[in-house]
Amino acid sequence: MRVTKDLVAASATPIVLGILAEGDSYGYAILRRINDLSGGELDWTEGFLYPLLHRLERLGHVEAYWQAADGGRKRKYYRITEQGKAELAEQHRQWETVVDALKQIWLTNPGETFA
């Protein structure tokens, strides 16, 4: 299965904010977490993630800081802000509305396949 670009784009912000709500993280670890959560179906690239993180930072939803990793190399970590937590809660409400509507449509015709 391949998740469409539109669905990936629509879900990107709540996915990243949700991961950062679990705890601070850096780019590569965020990419691994997304891959793990989706069973490999969402295989984002750095070229997709970093512009998103920078946009979330500009919006005040996340903040970045540098920290030395094992071996002394510095990594840029991201943490969710209070504003980001409020945005995540709003995104959650919106996604629940969409999911509820889809469930109603799909459950209305239980014998039909949509493939």
Side-chain angles (χ1 to χ4, degrees):
M1 175 185 74
R2 187 169 181 279
V3 179
T4 66
K5 286 183 181 182
D6 289 341
L7 194 51
V8 170
S11 61
T13 293
I15 288 173
V16 170
L17 290 177
I19 289 169
L20 293 176
E22 296 174 339
D24 297 3
S25 194
Y26 57 96
Y28 181 71
I30 294 169
L31 290 172
R32 279 196 338 251
R33 181 78 172 120
I34 291 165
N35 192 278
D36 290 347
L37 287 169
S38 69
E41 296 294 333
L42 296 175
D43 190 22
W44 294 6
T45 64
E46 291 177 2
F48 180 79
L49 176 64
Y50 286 107
L52 173 61
L53 286 168
H54 296 152
R55 183 176 63 81
L56 293 173
E57 191 174 9
R58 279 193 312 276
L59 292 170
H61 299 324
V62 303
E63 56 188 21
Y65 62 95
W66 290 94
Q67 182 171 314
D70 296 336
R73 195 175 128 213
K74 285 190 170 187
R75 285 188 178 141
K76 191 173 188 178
Y77 280 78
Y78 297 87
R79 77 168 52 100
I80 192 169
T81 63
E82 290 302 316
Q83 184 178 343
K85 290 176 185 176
E87 177 63 20
L88 179 57
E90 176 58 25
Q91 292 269 332
H92 188 186
R93 283 188 289 278
Q94 290 180 27
W95 274 95
E96 282 188 337
T97 300
V98 171
V99 169
D100 288 346
L102 287 170
K103 283 180 183 178
Q104 289 181 48
I105 291 167
W106 293 333
L107 293 176
T108 302
N109 305 304
E112 293 186 35
T113 58
F114 296 98

